[in-house]
Amino acid sequence: MRTFSLIMRFTEELGRILVEGWRRFVKAEMYFYLFLLILVIPNIILCYTEPLSLMAKICNVLLPFGVYYLVMTLSRNYGRTFWILFPVLFFGAFQIVLLFLYGQSVIAVDMFLNLITTNYGEAMELLDNLMPAITLVVLLYVPALIFATMSIIGKRKLSSVFLSRERPIAILALIIGIFSLGISYLADKNYKPMTDLYPVNVCYNVYLAFQRDAKTCRYYQTSDSFTYQAKASHPLKEREVYVMVVGETARSQNWALNGYDRPTNPELRKVKGLTSFTQAFTETNTTHKSVPMLLSPITAYNFDSIYYQKGIITAFKEAGFRTAFFSNQRYNNSLIDFLGKEADTWNFLKERAINANHIVYDDELLELVSNELKSRDRKQFIVLHTYGSHFNYKERYPSEMAFFKPDTPMDATAKNRNSLLNAYDNTIRYTDYFLARLIRLLNEEDMNAALLYTSDHGEDIYDDDRHLFLHASPIASSYQLHVPFLIWMSDKYQQTYPESLKAVQANKVKRVSSSASFFQTMLELGGIKTPYLNDSLSVTSHLYAGRPGVYLNDHNKACLLNEEQSNCNNTSR
Protein backbone atom coordinates (compact mmCIF):
# COMPACT_ATOMS: atom_id res chain seq x y z
CA MET A 1 0.00 0.00 0.00
CA ARG A 2 2.88 2.36 0.80
CA THR A 3 4.44 1.72 -2.62
CA PHE A 4 1.11 2.28 -4.35
CA SER A 5 0.63 5.54 -2.43
CA LEU A 6 4.09 6.75 -3.47
CA ILE A 7 3.35 5.93 -7.14
CA MET A 8 0.07 7.84 -6.98
CA ARG A 9 1.75 10.88 -5.41
CA PHE A 10 4.50 10.78 -8.01
CA THR A 11 1.93 10.55 -10.83
CA GLU A 12 -0.07 13.46 -9.45
CA GLU A 13 3.03 15.59 -9.06
CA LEU A 14 4.23 14.77 -12.57
CA GLY A 15 0.81 15.66 -13.97
CA ARG A 16 0.83 18.95 -12.07
CA ILE A 17 4.24 19.85 -13.45
CA LEU A 18 3.22 19.02 -17.04
CA VAL A 19 -0.02 21.01 -16.81
CA GLU A 20 1.75 23.97 -15.21
CA GLY A 21 4.47 23.92 -17.86
CA TRP A 22 1.87 23.71 -20.60
CA ARG A 23 -0.05 26.66 -19.12
CA ARG A 24 3.08 28.75 -18.83
CA PHE A 25 4.45 28.27 -22.32
CA VAL A 26 1.30 27.99 -24.46
CA LYS A 27 -1.35 30.69 -24.50
CA ALA A 28 -5.03 29.73 -24.58
CA GLU A 29 -5.59 32.03 -27.58
CA MET A 30 -3.21 29.90 -29.66
CA TYR A 31 -5.38 26.84 -29.09
CA PHE A 32 -8.51 28.80 -29.95
CA TYR A 33 -7.10 29.51 -33.41
CA LEU A 34 -5.66 26.00 -33.76
CA PHE A 35 -9.01 24.39 -32.95
CA LEU A 36 -10.74 26.72 -35.41
CA LEU A 37 -8.30 25.74 -38.18
CA ILE A 38 -8.75 22.01 -37.47
CA LEU A 39 -12.53 22.36 -37.70
CA VAL A 40 -12.40 23.94 -41.16
CA ILE A 41 -9.66 21.73 -42.71
CA PRO A 42 -12.15 19.32 -44.44
CA ASN A 43 -13.86 22.32 -46.09
CA ILE A 44 -10.53 23.54 -47.44
CA ILE A 45 -9.62 20.10 -48.80
CA LEU A 46 -13.02 19.71 -50.47
CA CYS A 47 -12.35 22.93 -52.42
CA TYR A 48 -9.68 21.00 -54.32
CA THR A 49 -11.62 17.77 -54.79
CA GLU A 50 -15.16 18.87 -55.65
CA PRO A 51 -16.29 20.15 -59.08
CA LEU A 52 -17.90 23.36 -57.80
CA SER A 53 -17.77 26.96 -59.02
CA LEU A 54 -15.26 29.35 -57.45
CA MET A 55 -17.98 31.22 -55.54
CA ALA A 56 -19.42 27.94 -54.26
CA LYS A 57 -15.99 26.93 -52.98
CA ILE A 58 -15.56 30.28 -51.24
CA CYS A 59 -18.99 29.84 -49.67
CA ASN A 60 -18.17 26.30 -48.58
CA VAL A 61 -15.23 27.60 -46.57
CA LEU A 62 -16.45 30.97 -45.32
CA LEU A 63 -19.93 29.96 -44.12
CA PRO A 64 -18.86 26.95 -41.99
CA PHE A 65 -15.82 28.94 -40.81
CA GLY A 66 -18.12 31.75 -39.65
CA VAL A 67 -20.36 29.27 -37.80
CA TYR A 68 -17.42 27.54 -36.08
CA TYR A 69 -15.84 30.90 -35.26
CA LEU A 70 -19.04 32.20 -33.62
CA VAL A 71 -19.63 28.97 -31.66
CA MET A 72 -16.04 29.04 -30.35
CA THR A 73 -16.62 32.57 -28.99
CA LEU A 74 -19.74 31.62 -27.03
CA SER A 75 -17.86 30.22 -24.04
CA ARG A 76 -14.63 31.01 -22.23
CA ASN A 77 -14.08 27.27 -21.78
CA TYR A 78 -12.69 26.65 -25.28
CA GLY A 79 -11.72 23.03 -24.52
CA ARG A 80 -15.28 22.11 -23.61
CA THR A 81 -16.60 23.91 -26.70
CA PHE A 82 -14.20 21.93 -28.87
CA TRP A 83 -15.46 18.66 -27.36
CA ILE A 84 -19.08 19.76 -27.89
CA LEU A 85 -18.18 20.03 -31.59
CA PHE A 86 -16.93 16.42 -31.58
CA PRO A 87 -19.57 15.27 -34.16
CA VAL A 88 -18.03 17.78 -36.58
CA LEU A 89 -14.59 16.32 -35.84
CA PHE A 90 -15.88 12.77 -36.36
CA PHE A 91 -17.33 13.68 -39.75
CA GLY A 92 -14.09 15.48 -40.61
CA ALA A 93 -12.00 12.40 -39.82
CA PHE A 94 -14.37 10.17 -41.77
CA GLN A 95 -14.29 12.64 -44.68
CA ILE A 96 -10.49 12.70 -44.87
CA VAL A 97 -10.28 8.89 -44.92
CA LEU A 98 -12.96 8.82 -47.63
CA LEU A 99 -11.01 11.30 -49.76
CA PHE A 100 -7.85 9.23 -49.31
CA LEU A 101 -9.71 6.16 -50.52
CA TYR A 102 -11.86 7.60 -53.32
CA GLY A 103 -10.33 10.97 -54.21
CA GLN A 104 -13.51 13.05 -54.09
CA SER A 105 -17.08 13.56 -52.83
CA VAL A 106 -18.55 13.99 -49.39
CA ILE A 107 -19.58 11.16 -47.09
CA ALA A 108 -22.45 9.47 -48.90
CA VAL A 109 -25.65 7.93 -47.58
CA ASP A 110 -24.36 4.55 -48.70
CA MET A 111 -21.20 5.05 -46.66
CA PHE A 112 -23.23 5.26 -43.47
CA LEU A 113 -25.34 2.26 -44.49
CA ASN A 114 -22.15 0.33 -45.26
CA LEU A 115 -21.11 0.88 -41.64
CA ILE A 116 -24.29 -0.91 -40.57
CA THR A 117 -24.13 -3.77 -43.07
CA THR A 118 -20.36 -4.44 -42.98
CA ASN A 119 -19.27 -7.12 -40.53
CA TYR A 120 -16.35 -6.76 -38.11
CA GLY A 121 -14.00 -8.94 -40.17
CA GLU A 122 -14.54 -6.93 -43.37
CA ALA A 123 -14.06 -3.65 -41.51
CA MET A 124 -10.76 -4.76 -39.96
CA GLU A 125 -9.44 -6.04 -43.30
CA LEU A 126 -10.06 -2.60 -44.79
CA LEU A 127 -8.80 -0.55 -41.84
CA ASP A 128 -5.59 -2.56 -41.69
CA ASN A 129 -4.85 -1.37 -45.21
CA LEU A 130 -5.76 2.29 -44.76
CA MET A 131 -3.06 3.10 -42.24
CA PRO A 132 -1.69 6.21 -44.03
CA ALA A 133 -5.10 7.91 -43.92
CA ILE A 134 -5.84 6.72 -40.39
CA THR A 135 -2.42 7.89 -39.21
CA LEU A 136 -3.06 11.34 -40.70
CA VAL A 137 -6.44 11.56 -38.98
CA VAL A 138 -4.99 10.46 -35.65
CA LEU A 139 -2.14 13.01 -35.86
CA LEU A 140 -4.58 15.77 -36.79
CA TYR A 141 -7.43 15.18 -34.33
CA VAL A 142 -6.19 13.19 -31.33
CA PRO A 143 -3.58 15.72 -30.11
CA ALA A 144 -6.15 18.50 -30.44
CA LEU A 145 -8.64 16.56 -28.33
CA ILE A 146 -5.92 15.85 -25.77
CA PHE A 147 -5.08 19.55 -25.56
CA ALA A 148 -8.79 20.35 -25.20
CA THR A 149 -9.04 17.82 -22.37
CA MET A 150 -5.97 19.27 -20.64
CA SER A 151 -7.48 22.75 -20.84
CA ILE A 152 -10.63 21.46 -19.13
CA ILE A 153 -8.64 19.70 -16.41
CA GLY A 154 -6.36 22.73 -15.96
CA LYS A 155 -9.42 25.02 -15.91
CA ARG A 156 -7.90 27.22 -18.59
CA LYS A 157 -10.28 29.76 -20.03
CA LEU A 158 -10.23 32.55 -22.55
CA SER A 159 -10.45 36.10 -21.28
CA SER A 160 -13.67 38.04 -21.69
CA VAL A 161 -11.71 40.77 -23.44
CA PHE A 162 -10.44 38.29 -26.05
CA LEU A 163 -13.94 36.92 -26.71
CA SER A 164 -15.42 40.42 -26.97
CA ARG A 165 -12.80 41.24 -29.58
CA GLU A 166 -13.24 38.02 -31.59
CA ARG A 167 -17.04 37.77 -31.59
CA PRO A 168 -17.71 40.70 -33.95
CA ILE A 169 -15.12 39.28 -36.36
CA ALA A 170 -16.89 35.89 -36.19
CA ILE A 171 -20.25 37.53 -36.90
CA LEU A 172 -18.77 39.42 -39.84
CA ALA A 173 -17.28 36.17 -41.25
CA LEU A 174 -20.68 34.52 -40.87
CA ILE A 175 -22.47 37.38 -42.66
CA ILE A 176 -19.97 37.23 -45.54
CA GLY A 177 -20.48 33.45 -45.67
CA ILE A 178 -24.27 33.85 -45.86
CA PHE A 179 -23.86 36.51 -48.56
CA SER A 180 -21.60 34.17 -50.58
CA LEU A 181 -24.22 31.44 -50.17
CA GLY A 182 -26.84 33.68 -51.72
CA ILE A 183 -24.58 34.54 -54.65
CA SER A 184 -23.70 30.86 -55.20
CA TYR A 185 -27.35 29.86 -55.14
CA LEU A 186 -28.34 32.56 -57.64
CA ALA A 187 -25.32 32.16 -59.93
CA ASP A 188 -25.32 28.37 -60.11
CA LYS A 189 -28.73 26.71 -60.52
CA ASN A 190 -27.16 23.34 -59.67
CA TYR A 191 -25.76 24.49 -56.33
CA LYS A 192 -27.84 23.27 -53.37
CA PRO A 193 -26.70 23.55 -49.73
CA MET A 194 -28.31 20.21 -48.86
CA THR A 195 -26.04 18.39 -51.30
CA ASP A 196 -23.07 20.72 -51.83
CA LEU A 197 -22.35 22.57 -48.56
CA TYR A 198 -20.19 20.62 -46.09
CA PRO A 199 -21.09 19.57 -43.39
CA VAL A 200 -24.77 20.36 -44.12
CA ASN A 201 -24.72 17.72 -46.86
CA VAL A 202 -23.24 15.13 -44.53
CA CYS A 203 -25.91 15.80 -41.90
CA TYR A 204 -28.57 15.46 -44.60
CA ASN A 205 -27.04 12.16 -45.70
CA VAL A 206 -27.09 10.93 -42.10
CA TYR A 207 -30.81 11.74 -41.99
CA LEU A 208 -31.41 9.83 -45.23
CA ALA A 209 -29.40 6.87 -43.93
CA PHE A 210 -31.53 6.66 -40.77
CA GLN A 211 -34.66 6.99 -42.90
CA ARG A 212 -33.62 4.10 -45.17
CA ASP A 213 -32.57 1.95 -42.25
CA ALA A 214 -35.97 2.48 -40.65
CA LYS A 215 -37.66 1.36 -43.88
CA THR A 216 -35.46 -1.73 -43.94
CA CYS A 217 -36.42 -2.60 -40.37
CA ARG A 218 -40.10 -2.42 -41.36
CA TYR A 219 -39.61 -4.60 -44.45
CA TYR A 220 -41.51 -7.62 -43.14
CA GLN A 221 -44.55 -5.47 -42.40
CA THR A 222 -44.51 -3.42 -45.62
CA SER A 223 -44.01 -6.45 -47.90
CA ASP A 224 -46.19 -8.91 -46.02
CA SER A 225 -49.17 -8.88 -48.41
CA PHE A 226 -47.10 -8.88 -51.61
CA THR A 227 -47.59 -11.71 -54.11
CA TYR A 228 -46.21 -12.41 -57.59
CA GLN A 229 -49.26 -14.48 -58.57
CA ALA A 230 -46.63 -16.75 -60.08
CA LYS A 231 -47.34 -19.99 -61.93
CA ALA A 232 -45.08 -22.57 -63.58
CA SER A 233 -45.40 -22.95 -67.34
CA HIS A 234 -43.01 -25.90 -67.79
CA PRO A 235 -44.39 -29.47 -67.68
CA LEU A 236 -44.87 -30.65 -64.08
CA LYS A 237 -43.48 -34.13 -64.74
CA GLU A 238 -40.05 -32.84 -65.89
CA ARG A 239 -37.31 -32.59 -63.25
CA GLU A 240 -35.65 -29.19 -63.42
CA VAL A 241 -33.12 -27.33 -61.28
CA TYR A 242 -32.22 -23.66 -61.61
CA VAL A 243 -29.32 -21.98 -59.82
CA MET A 244 -28.83 -18.26 -59.44
CA VAL A 245 -25.31 -17.21 -58.35
CA VAL A 246 -24.71 -13.70 -57.07
CA GLY A 247 -20.98 -13.02 -57.14
CA GLU A 248 -19.05 -10.43 -55.18
CA THR A 249 -16.74 -7.68 -56.49
CA ALA A 250 -15.95 -9.40 -59.81
CA ARG A 251 -15.30 -7.00 -62.66
CA SER A 252 -15.72 -8.00 -66.28
CA GLN A 253 -12.35 -6.60 -67.39
CA ASN A 254 -10.48 -9.40 -65.58
CA TRP A 255 -12.37 -12.32 -67.11
CA ALA A 256 -10.55 -14.15 -69.90
CA LEU A 257 -13.99 -15.09 -71.27
CA ASN A 258 -14.48 -11.38 -71.95
CA GLY A 259 -11.12 -10.72 -73.61
CA TYR A 260 -8.72 -10.34 -70.66
CA ASP A 261 -5.18 -11.31 -71.64
CA ARG A 262 -4.48 -13.44 -68.54
CA PRO A 263 -5.76 -17.02 -68.11
CA THR A 264 -8.36 -16.34 -65.42
CA ASN A 265 -11.02 -18.72 -66.82
CA PRO A 266 -9.29 -22.01 -67.68
CA GLU A 267 -12.19 -24.18 -66.48
CA LEU A 268 -15.18 -22.24 -67.83
CA ARG A 269 -13.56 -22.05 -71.27
CA LYS A 270 -14.05 -25.83 -71.48
CA VAL A 271 -17.71 -25.80 -70.39
CA LYS A 272 -20.27 -26.50 -73.10
CA GLY A 273 -23.51 -24.55 -73.11
CA LEU A 274 -21.99 -21.47 -71.47
CA THR A 275 -22.58 -17.95 -72.82
CA SER A 276 -20.81 -14.82 -71.57
CA PHE A 277 -22.28 -11.35 -72.08
CA THR A 278 -19.36 -8.96 -72.45
CA GLN A 279 -21.36 -5.72 -72.19
CA ALA A 280 -23.08 -6.13 -68.82
CA PHE A 281 -23.22 -3.26 -66.35
CA THR A 282 -24.65 -3.05 -62.85
CA GLU A 283 -26.85 -0.11 -61.91
CA THR A 284 -25.16 0.46 -58.54
CA ASN A 285 -21.72 -0.15 -57.05
CA THR A 286 -22.84 -0.98 -53.50
CA THR A 287 -23.68 -4.49 -52.28
CA HIS A 288 -26.57 -3.53 -50.01
CA LYS A 289 -28.45 -2.06 -52.98
CA SER A 290 -27.17 -4.21 -55.84
CA VAL A 291 -28.02 -7.66 -54.45
CA PRO A 292 -31.66 -6.80 -53.59
CA MET A 293 -32.01 -5.43 -57.12
CA LEU A 294 -30.63 -8.68 -58.56
CA LEU A 295 -33.06 -10.72 -56.45
CA SER A 296 -36.15 -8.67 -57.32
CA PRO A 297 -37.82 -6.78 -60.21
CA ILE A 298 -36.51 -3.50 -58.75
CA THR A 299 -34.32 -1.29 -60.96
CA ALA A 300 -32.65 2.11 -60.66
CA TYR A 301 -35.90 3.74 -61.79
CA ASN A 302 -38.02 2.43 -58.92
CA PHE A 303 -35.58 1.44 -56.19
CA ASP A 304 -37.71 2.69 -53.29
CA SER A 305 -40.32 0.04 -54.18
CA ILE A 306 -37.90 -2.56 -52.79
CA TYR A 307 -39.40 -2.08 -49.32
CA TYR A 308 -42.82 -3.26 -50.52
CA GLN A 309 -41.97 -6.26 -52.71
CA LYS A 310 -40.63 -9.73 -52.06
CA GLY A 311 -37.86 -11.40 -54.03
CA ILE A 312 -37.45 -13.99 -56.74
CA ILE A 313 -37.38 -16.84 -54.23
CA THR A 314 -41.01 -16.10 -53.39
CA ALA A 315 -41.91 -16.14 -57.09
CA PHE A 316 -40.43 -19.65 -57.49
CA LYS A 317 -42.08 -20.81 -54.27
CA GLU A 318 -45.47 -19.64 -55.49
CA ALA A 319 -44.85 -21.62 -58.68
CA GLY A 320 -44.31 -24.83 -56.69
CA PHE A 321 -40.50 -24.98 -56.46
CA ARG A 322 -38.49 -26.17 -53.49
CA THR A 323 -36.22 -23.20 -52.74
CA ALA A 324 -32.87 -22.72 -50.99
CA PHE A 325 -30.62 -19.75 -50.22
CA PHE A 326 -26.98 -20.33 -49.28
CA SER A 327 -24.65 -17.46 -48.49
CA ASN A 328 -20.94 -17.17 -47.75
CA GLN A 329 -21.50 -13.77 -46.20
CA ARG A 330 -22.47 -12.89 -42.67
CA TYR A 331 -26.03 -12.21 -41.65
CA ASN A 332 -26.37 -8.44 -41.08
CA ASN A 333 -30.13 -7.86 -40.83
CA SER A 334 -30.27 -6.29 -44.29
CA LEU A 335 -32.65 -6.59 -47.24
CA ILE A 336 -30.31 -9.24 -48.69
CA ASP A 337 -30.88 -11.43 -45.65
CA PHE A 338 -34.63 -10.85 -45.64
CA LEU A 339 -34.93 -11.83 -49.32
CA GLY A 340 -32.75 -14.89 -48.75
CA LYS A 341 -34.77 -16.09 -45.78
CA GLU A 342 -37.88 -16.32 -47.95
CA ALA A 343 -36.47 -19.71 -49.02
CA ASP A 344 -37.58 -23.07 -47.64
CA THR A 345 -33.96 -23.71 -46.64
CA TRP A 346 -31.33 -21.05 -45.92
CA ASN A 347 -27.81 -21.07 -44.51
CA PHE A 348 -25.22 -18.36 -43.86
CA LEU A 349 -21.89 -20.18 -43.84
CA LYS A 350 -19.89 -17.51 -42.06
CA GLU A 351 -22.26 -17.59 -39.09
CA ARG A 352 -20.90 -21.01 -38.17
CA ALA A 353 -17.27 -19.87 -38.46
CA ILE A 354 -15.15 -20.42 -35.37
CA ASN A 355 -14.30 -16.71 -35.13
CA ALA A 356 -14.21 -13.56 -37.24
CA ASN A 357 -10.74 -14.47 -38.55
CA HIS A 358 -11.74 -17.96 -39.69
CA ILE A 359 -11.66 -18.15 -43.48
CA VAL A 360 -14.60 -19.78 -45.24
CA TYR A 361 -14.03 -20.34 -48.96
CA ASP A 362 -16.83 -20.26 -51.51
CA ASP A 363 -16.42 -23.92 -52.46
CA GLU A 364 -18.01 -24.88 -49.12
CA LEU A 365 -21.27 -23.73 -50.71
CA LEU A 366 -20.98 -26.67 -53.11
CA GLU A 367 -21.52 -29.17 -50.31
CA LEU A 368 -24.77 -27.42 -49.40
CA VAL A 369 -25.86 -27.51 -53.04
CA SER A 370 -24.97 -31.20 -53.32
CA ASN A 371 -27.03 -32.02 -50.24
CA GLU A 372 -29.94 -29.94 -51.52
CA LEU A 373 -29.94 -31.78 -54.84
CA LYS A 374 -30.20 -35.09 -52.97
CA SER A 375 -33.74 -34.18 -51.97
CA ARG A 376 -34.70 -35.17 -55.53
CA ASP A 377 -37.60 -32.72 -55.62
CA ARG A 378 -38.93 -32.42 -59.13
CA LYS A 379 -38.69 -28.61 -59.11
CA GLN A 380 -35.77 -26.90 -57.37
CA PHE A 381 -34.49 -23.33 -57.26
CA ILE A 382 -31.23 -22.47 -55.48
CA VAL A 383 -29.72 -19.02 -54.88
CA LEU A 384 -26.04 -18.68 -53.89
CA HIS A 385 -24.38 -15.53 -52.57
CA THR A 386 -20.61 -15.90 -52.74
CA TYR A 387 -17.75 -13.89 -51.21
CA GLY A 388 -15.97 -13.88 -54.55
CA SER A 389 -13.33 -11.19 -54.95
CA HIS A 390 -14.02 -9.03 -51.92
CA PHE A 391 -10.95 -7.37 -50.44
CA ASN A 392 -8.70 -8.69 -48.81
CA TYR A 393 -8.18 -10.65 -52.05
CA LYS A 394 -5.56 -13.05 -50.75
CA GLU A 395 -8.05 -14.39 -48.19
CA ARG A 396 -10.52 -15.51 -50.88
CA TYR A 397 -8.64 -18.53 -52.22
CA PRO A 398 -6.46 -21.30 -50.73
CA SER A 399 -2.75 -20.51 -50.93
CA GLU A 400 -2.10 -23.60 -53.05
CA MET A 401 -4.41 -22.14 -55.73
CA ALA A 402 -2.36 -18.95 -56.13
CA PHE A 403 -1.53 -18.95 -59.84
CA PHE A 404 -0.42 -15.34 -60.32
CA LYS A 405 2.50 -14.37 -58.09
CA PRO A 406 3.64 -12.50 -56.11
CA ASP A 407 0.28 -11.96 -54.41
CA THR A 408 1.68 -9.97 -51.48
CA PRO A 409 1.88 -7.36 -50.01
CA MET A 410 -1.78 -6.36 -49.76
CA ASP A 411 -1.41 -2.83 -48.37
CA ALA A 412 -3.75 -0.41 -50.14
CA THR A 413 -1.19 1.65 -52.04
CA ALA A 414 -0.62 2.22 -55.74
CA LYS A 415 2.95 0.91 -55.49
CA ASN A 416 1.54 -2.52 -54.56
CA ARG A 417 -0.73 -2.67 -57.63
CA ASN A 418 1.06 -5.66 -59.21
CA SER A 419 0.60 -7.86 -56.15
CA LEU A 420 -2.95 -6.59 -55.61
CA LEU A 421 -3.80 -7.37 -59.22
CA ASN A 422 -2.21 -10.82 -59.01
CA ALA A 423 -4.23 -11.65 -55.92
CA TYR A 424 -7.40 -10.25 -57.48
CA ASP A 425 -6.89 -12.33 -60.63
CA ASN A 426 -6.41 -15.37 -58.41
CA THR A 427 -9.87 -14.71 -56.95
CA ILE A 428 -11.31 -14.69 -60.48
CA ARG A 429 -9.58 -18.02 -61.22
CA TYR A 430 -11.05 -19.39 -57.99
CA THR A 431 -14.52 -18.18 -59.02
CA ASP A 432 -13.92 -19.90 -62.36
CA TYR A 433 -13.08 -23.12 -60.51
CA PHE A 434 -16.13 -22.74 -58.25
CA LEU A 435 -18.60 -22.16 -61.10
CA ALA A 436 -17.16 -25.02 -63.19
CA ARG A 437 -17.58 -27.44 -60.26
CA LEU A 438 -21.11 -26.18 -59.67
CA ILE A 439 -22.00 -26.78 -63.31
CA ARG A 440 -20.56 -30.30 -63.12
CA LEU A 441 -22.84 -30.98 -60.14
CA LEU A 442 -25.87 -29.90 -62.16
CA ASN A 443 -24.68 -31.85 -65.20
CA GLU A 444 -24.37 -35.18 -63.40
CA GLU A 445 -27.90 -36.22 -64.28
CA ASP A 446 -30.05 -35.86 -67.35
CA MET A 447 -32.40 -33.00 -66.45
CA ASN A 448 -33.42 -29.51 -67.43
CA ALA A 449 -30.93 -27.29 -65.61
CA ALA A 450 -29.68 -23.75 -66.02
CA LEU A 451 -27.34 -21.46 -64.13
CA LEU A 452 -27.23 -17.68 -64.13
CA TYR A 453 -24.28 -15.74 -62.71
CA THR A 454 -23.36 -12.10 -62.29
CA SER A 455 -21.54 -9.99 -59.75
CA ASP A 456 -23.06 -7.28 -57.58
CA HIS A 457 -20.44 -4.78 -58.75
CA GLY A 458 -16.82 -4.53 -59.84
CA GLU A 459 -13.71 -2.99 -58.30
CA ASP A 460 -11.03 -0.32 -58.78
CA ILE A 461 -7.42 -1.48 -58.37
CA TYR A 462 -5.35 1.67 -59.02
CA ASP A 463 -6.08 1.29 -62.73
CA ASP A 464 -5.35 4.82 -63.91
CA ASP A 465 -4.04 8.19 -62.80
CA ARG A 466 -7.08 8.68 -60.53
CA HIS A 467 -5.57 6.02 -58.20
CA LEU A 468 -9.00 4.69 -57.19
CA PHE A 469 -9.26 1.57 -55.05
CA LEU A 470 -12.10 -0.75 -53.96
CA HIS A 471 -15.80 -0.11 -54.73
CA ALA A 472 -18.82 1.74 -53.30
CA SER A 473 -17.19 5.10 -54.07
CA PRO A 474 -19.67 8.00 -54.23
CA ILE A 475 -18.79 8.42 -57.90
CA ALA A 476 -18.37 5.07 -59.63
CA SER A 477 -15.85 4.22 -62.33
CA SER A 478 -16.42 1.83 -65.24
CA TYR A 479 -14.32 -0.75 -63.38
CA GLN A 480 -16.95 -0.77 -60.64
CA LEU A 481 -19.93 -0.94 -63.00
CA HIS A 482 -18.77 -3.36 -65.73
CA VAL A 483 -19.53 -6.89 -64.47
CA PRO A 484 -19.52 -10.48 -65.80
CA PHE A 485 -22.87 -11.99 -66.79
CA LEU A 486 -23.00 -15.72 -67.60
CA ILE A 487 -25.70 -18.20 -68.59
CA TRP A 488 -25.26 -21.96 -68.71
CA MET A 489 -27.87 -24.41 -70.02
CA SER A 490 -27.69 -28.18 -69.79
CA ASP A 491 -27.88 -30.25 -72.98
CA LYS A 492 -31.40 -31.35 -72.13
CA TYR A 493 -32.51 -27.78 -71.43
CA GLN A 494 -31.15 -26.67 -74.81
CA GLN A 495 -33.02 -29.49 -76.51
CA THR A 496 -36.24 -28.79 -74.62
CA TYR A 497 -36.17 -25.00 -75.02
CA PRO A 498 -34.11 -24.26 -78.16
CA GLU A 499 -35.75 -20.85 -78.55
CA SER A 500 -34.11 -19.69 -75.29
CA LEU A 501 -30.67 -20.73 -76.53
CA LYS A 502 -31.29 -19.00 -79.84
CA ALA A 503 -32.30 -15.78 -78.07
CA VAL A 504 -29.22 -15.89 -75.83
CA GLN A 505 -26.93 -16.24 -78.83
CA ALA A 506 -28.64 -13.32 -80.55
CA ASN A 507 -28.52 -11.07 -77.47
CA LYS A 508 -25.02 -11.81 -76.14
CA VAL A 509 -23.44 -8.86 -77.97
CA LYS A 510 -26.02 -6.36 -76.70
CA ARG A 511 -25.62 -4.10 -73.72
CA VAL A 512 -27.16 -5.63 -70.59
CA SER A 513 -28.18 -4.08 -67.30
CA SER A 514 -27.43 -6.89 -64.86
CA SER A 515 -29.59 -5.18 -62.22
CA ALA A 516 -32.64 -5.08 -64.50
CA SER A 517 -32.13 -8.33 -66.44
CA PHE A 518 -30.92 -10.82 -63.83
CA PHE A 519 -34.33 -11.30 -62.19
CA GLN A 520 -36.25 -11.25 -65.48
CA THR A 521 -33.88 -13.71 -67.18
CA MET A 522 -34.11 -16.14 -64.26
CA LEU A 523 -37.90 -16.09 -64.37
CA GLU A 524 -37.79 -16.76 -68.11
CA LEU A 525 -35.29 -19.60 -67.73
CA GLY A 526 -37.46 -21.23 -65.07
CA GLY A 527 -40.68 -20.81 -67.00
CA ILE A 528 -42.26 -18.66 -64.29
CA LYS A 529 -45.25 -16.64 -65.43
CA THR A 530 -46.17 -13.57 -63.40
CA PRO A 531 -47.47 -10.05 -64.09
CA TYR A 532 -43.99 -8.88 -63.03
CA LEU A 533 -42.28 -10.71 -65.90
CA ASN A 534 -40.91 -8.30 -68.51
CA ASP A 535 -39.74 -10.11 -71.65
CA SER A 536 -38.03 -7.01 -72.98
CA LEU A 537 -35.54 -7.24 -70.08
CA SER A 538 -34.85 -10.98 -70.33
CA VAL A 539 -31.82 -11.94 -72.43
CA THR A 540 -33.40 -15.37 -73.04
CA SER A 541 -36.27 -13.73 -74.92
CA HIS A 542 -36.35 -12.70 -78.56
CA LEU A 543 -38.17 -9.59 -77.32
CA TYR A 544 -35.10 -8.38 -75.41
CA ALA A 545 -34.59 -4.74 -76.33
CA GLY A 546 -31.41 -3.83 -74.50
CA ARG A 547 -31.22 -0.97 -72.04
CA PRO A 548 -29.33 2.33 -71.92
CA GLY A 549 -26.70 2.72 -69.22
CA VAL A 550 -28.30 3.73 -65.94
CA TYR A 551 -26.72 4.30 -62.56
CA LEU A 552 -28.47 4.65 -59.19
CA ASN A 553 -26.79 7.51 -57.35
CA ASP A 554 -26.41 7.93 -53.62
CA HIS A 555 -29.77 9.67 -53.29
CA ASN A 556 -31.46 6.84 -55.23
CA LYS A 557 -31.94 8.86 -58.39
CA ALA A 558 -31.49 7.09 -61.75
CA CYS A 559 -28.77 8.79 -63.83
CA LEU A 560 -28.22 8.04 -67.49
CA LEU A 561 -24.71 6.97 -68.50
CA ASN A 562 -23.13 6.80 -71.91
CA GLU A 563 -20.62 4.37 -73.34
CA GLU A 564 -17.67 6.67 -72.81
CA GLN A 565 -18.42 8.01 -69.36
CA SER A 566 -19.34 5.52 -66.63
CA ASN A 567 -19.63 8.15 -63.90
CA CYS A 568 -22.75 9.61 -62.37
CA ASN A 569 -22.72 12.59 -60.06
CA ASN A 570 -23.73 11.19 -56.70
CA THR A 571 -25.92 14.06 -55.57
CA SER A 572 -29.62 14.71 -55.96
CA ARG A 573 -29.03 17.32 -58.65
Side-chain angles (χ1 to χ4, degrees), residues 12-24:
E12 291 173 3
E13 186 64 20
L14 178 62
R16 187 188 66 78
I17 292 172
L18 290 173
V19 170
E20 188 62 32
W22 171 68
R23 292 180 63 180
R24 183 172 298 179

Side-chain angles (χ1 to χ4, degrees), residues 426-445:
N426 286 334
T427 68
I428 302 300
R429 275 184 70 99
Y430 186 69
T431 298
D432 173 84
Y433 158 82
F434 167 80
L435 291 174
R437 284 189 61 192
L438 178 57
I439 289 172
R440 283 197 292 271
L441 269 178
L442 298 174
N443 220 12
E444 286 178 353
E445 54 184 293

Side-chain angles (χ1 to χ4, degrees), residues 101-104 126 249-254 285 389-391 393 411-414 416-417 420-421 424 457-483 551 566-567:
L101 189 60
Y102 297 127
Q104 68 180 112
L126 179 57
T249 320
R251 65 186 199 180
S252 178
Q253 292 92 335
N254 289 62
N285 64 339
S389 301
H390 198 288
F391 189 80
Y393 312 135
D411 295 338
T413 60
N416 292 333
R417 184 178 187 270
L420 288 165
L421 186 62
Y424 183 83
H457 50 71
E459 185 90 319
D460 281 309
I461 314 175
Y462 300 109
D463 300 287
D464 50 41
D465 56 8
R466 292 173 296 177
H467 298 296
L468 301 177
F469 186 54
L470 299 181
H471 57 270
S473 60
I475 298 178
S477 70
S478 62
Y479 295 101
Q480 295 183 43
L481 300 180
H482 195 185
V483 293
Y551 178 64
S566 292
N567 288 337

Side-chain angles (χ1 to χ4, degrees), residues 215 219 222-223 226 228 292-293 296-311 335 339 532 552 556:
K215 288 183 177 180
Y219 173 76
T222 54
S223 66
F226 180 84
Y228 281 102
M293 291 169 75
S296 72
I298 301 302
T299 70
Y301 288 111
N302 64 340
F303 183 80
D304 286 339
S305 298
I306 189 69
Y307 304 107
Y308 308 96
Q309 298 185 20
K310 294 181 181 177
L335 286 171
L339 294 173
Y532 291 86
L552 184 68
N556 288 350

Side-chain angles (χ1 to χ4, degrees), residues 378-401:
R378 196 156 293 280
K379 308 289 184 181
Q380 288 186 264
F381 178 58
I382 303 171
V383 177
L384 304 180
H385 190 193
T386 69
Y387 212 30
S389 301
H390 198 288
F391 189 80
N392 186 338
Y393 312 135
K394 199 174 185 305
E395 304 295 330
R396 306 298 163 245
Y397 54 90
S399 57
E400 63 271 16
M401 295 190 69

